[in-house]
Amino acid sequence: RKEVEQDPGPFNVPEGATVAFNCTYSNSASQSFFWYRQDCRKEPKLLMSVYSSGNEDGRFTAQLNRASQYISLLIRDSKLSDSATYLCVVTHNDYKLSFGAGTTVTVRA
Amino acid sequence: DGGITQSPKYLFRKEGQNVTLSCEQNLNHDAMYWYRQDPGQGLRLIYYSQIVNDFQKGDIAEGYSVSREKKESFPLTVTSAQKNPTAFYLCASTKDRSSYNEQFFGPGTRLTVL
């Protein structure tokens, strides 16, 4: 079983729609959680951290469910510029990151 | 501007040849990392270095080698022993070991073995 699993998508949504997707992780001792964004053929960039109480950053909302071992990302009022692959990232206590394969979101006009 | 540079952007190599990928950062970061990315897979850690003159194997170090002689440089050599080297290689850095979760990535090198 992969350490971090994501639905690859693609999620095709119209502009203005809300899109949400999850990521599951297998190690119950995982400590920290993040979403990175990767544009086509570019490097990943940190989008946001995921806190236990849930957190928002503008149109983006991240949630963590430790009991069920998943994190989620919700994008409200989608923009064309939100089209990207979103990578779920999990850390342990060994100063390394574990990356999911990514969920692709395509926002259409 | 501070950042990470990787060169070359595209690299073609014949089977059996060693090749070295460059990674330079001027962010004054202590820690540097090398990943490879394959279609449909998450980034996988090859090697990482938390301080100059020290580095550790990641999850898929076989067929790769690195050096960390200078703080700003962390070159990766893909040797002929690497069975399937065609991939997108990404270098990253963090301020120090404790901030390993906020990784800054370079633009990557696409290696193709012909």
Side-chain angles (χ1 to χ4, degrees):
Chain A
R1 184 185 171 186
K2 290 183 181 177
E3 198 164 347
V4 181
E5 297 207 57
Q6 297 184 247
D7 180 345
F11 288 74
N12 293 306
V13 299
E15 261 187 302
T18 295
V19 59
F21 42 89
N22 294 340
C23 157
T24 58
Y25 60 95
S26 60
N27 188 341
S28 59
S30 298
Q31 295 186 327
S32 303
F33 309 87
F34 307 88
W35 285 104
Y36 274 68
R37 172 195 168 123
Q38 185 173 25
D39 292 312
C40 187
R41 301 179 77 81
K42 300 280 191 182
E43 73 274 22
K45 293 183 181 177
L46 178 63
L47 177 67
M48 60 194 298
S49 303
V50 186
Y51 301 124
S52 297
S53 54
N55 50 295
E56 278 189 20
D57 184 0
R59 297 180 293 106
F60 296 82
T61 301
Q63 298 276 359
L64 166 63
N65 186 317
R66 281 195 184 271
S68 301
Q69 295 184 204
Y70 73 87
I71 66 172
S72 64
L73 182 66
L74 181 146
I75 307 173
R76 282 187 303 279
D77 188 23
S78 299
K79 311 289 184 195
L80 294 175
S81 57
D82 294 334
S83 297
T85 296
Y86 293 86
L87 308 179
C88 171
V89 179
V90 173
T91 73
H92 314 292
N93 61 354
D94 54 2
Y95 305 102
K96 295 187 290 183
L97 306 183
S98 295
F99 287 81
T103 295
T104 298
V105 172
T106 303
V107 182
R108 62 182 187 273
Chain B
D1 287 337
I4 301 177
T5 56
Q6 290 186 242
S7 61
K9 190 171 181 180
Y10 298 95
L11 186 57
F12 297 89
R13 160 197 127 174
K14 290 183 181 178
E15 224 172 305
Q17 288 180 335
N18 291 358
V19 63
T20 297
L21 281 57
S22 165
C23 176
E24 305 277 331
Q25 54 97 0
N26 61 3
L27 299 165
N28 199 33
H29 283 178
D30 285 335
M32 297 185 75
Y33 309 78
W34 272 107
Y35 297 90
R36 69 175 277 169
Q37 187 175 33
D38 297 279
Q41 295 194 44
L43 275 67
R44 291 182 290 166
L45 183 64
I46 304 172
Y47 268 97
Y48 63 106
S49 167
Q50 294 170 342
I51 199 165
V52 176
N53 291 323
D54 186 49
F55 50 82
Q56 287 80 39
K57 291 182 180 180
D59 300 319
I60 54 164
E62 186 176 348
Y64 299 97
S65 66
V66 293
S67 62
R68 186 86 189 277
E69 296 174 4
K70 298 186 294 183
K71 187 175 184 177
E72 59 269 24
S73 179
F74 191 40
L76 174 74
T77 296
V78 184
T79 74
S80 56
Q82 167 49 232
K83 291 184 170 48
N84 187 18
T86 294
F88 186 39
Y89 289 87
L90 288 156
C91 178
S93 72
T94 60
K95 180 168 176 280
D96 50 41
R97 188 174 78 158
S98 63
S99 55
Y100 64 100
N101 48 288
E102 189 172 350
Q103 303 210 354
F104 294 86
F105 285 86
T109 292
R110 291 194 180 272
L111 173 64
T112 302
V113 174
L114 304 171

